[in-house]
Amino acid sequence: MTARVLLAEDDVDHAFFTVRAFKDAHGLDVEMHTVRDGEEALDYLHRRGKYAGAERPHLIVLDLKMPKLSGLEVLEQIKADESLRTIPTVMLSSSDRPEDIKSSYARSANSYVTKPASLTGLRDGVQEMARYWIDVASLPNGSH
């Protein structure tokens, strides 16, 4: 099975290295879709506009601080929507502030991962996260 992952990340470099880390960890077994802000993430998940034909992801990775809607606001809407709430959602942020971590889990994040400061650390950390969510955890089907 190819795992579909939706990454919502506004930092172009972080998005590039996150996608690359997932691909390095899983090669052709992962299909990455990237959006740049919270509104675009919800458009993708609700199949609106240019995402009308988008397939439901098996895993969602959200940056905490994004334009238009923050990762927390997107997370809140995902977990309030019966058709989306079962999709595992990981918060990926450079913030290690306890209040950000607590707020994420209070909104039913499945995991909170702090981005390491270096790009090598980011790659290694994301590869570990990818291996866990795709190789170890059982993901929901992702279909309607």
Side-chain angles (χ1 to χ4, degrees):
M1 176 188 100
T2 298
R4 283 185 304 278
V5 179
L6 174 63
L7 170 65
E9 170 64 72
D10 64 314
D11 183 298
V12 176
D13 291 333
H14 288 184
F16 173 81
F17 282 102
T18 301
V19 169
R20 187 164 171 195
F22 264 91
K23 296 260 184 202
D24 287 349
H26 295 93
L28 298 175
D29 290 339
V30 66
E31 185 181 305
M32 296 292 298
H33 300 275
T34 307
V35 295
R36 301 284 303 276
D37 62 54
E39 277 184 9
E40 202 175 352
L42 290 173
D43 285 347
Y44 183 97
L45 291 168
H46 292 293
R47 301 173 176 177
R48 296 188 292 237
K50 67 181 180 180
Y51 301 110
E55 290 189 72
R56 179 75 28 105
H58 298 104
L59 176 67
I60 301 167
V61 180
L62 295 175
D63 184 27
L64 186 68
K65 294 177 175 71
M66 292 185 291
K68 298 185 182 175
L69 289 173
S70 73
L72 288 177
E73 291 170 309
V74 175
L75 175 64
E76 214 167 77
Q77 290 192 41
I78 289 168
K79 296 304 180 180
D81 186 318
E82 196 171 316
S83 70
L84 300 174
R85 76 170 56 124
T86 59
I87 303 171
T89 306
V90 176
M91 301 304 291
L92 181 63
S93 177
S94 48
S95 171
D96 61 358
R97 296 174 50 216
E99 53 271 28
D100 289 335
I101 296 167
K102 184 177 180 181
S103 291
S104 295
Y105 283 117
R107 289 168 176 79
S108 300
N110 296 92
S111 184
Y112 188 100
V113 177
T114 304
K115 295 176 190 173
S118 73
L119 291 178
T120 301
L122 176 64
R123 182 198 67 221
D124 294 346
V126 170
Q127 281 182 341
E128 280 185 50
M129 177 185 71
R131 283 189 194 101
Y132 171 77
W133 282 104
I134 294 174
D135 295 341
V136 178
S138 296
L139 293 171
N141 181 320
S143 63
H144 277 340

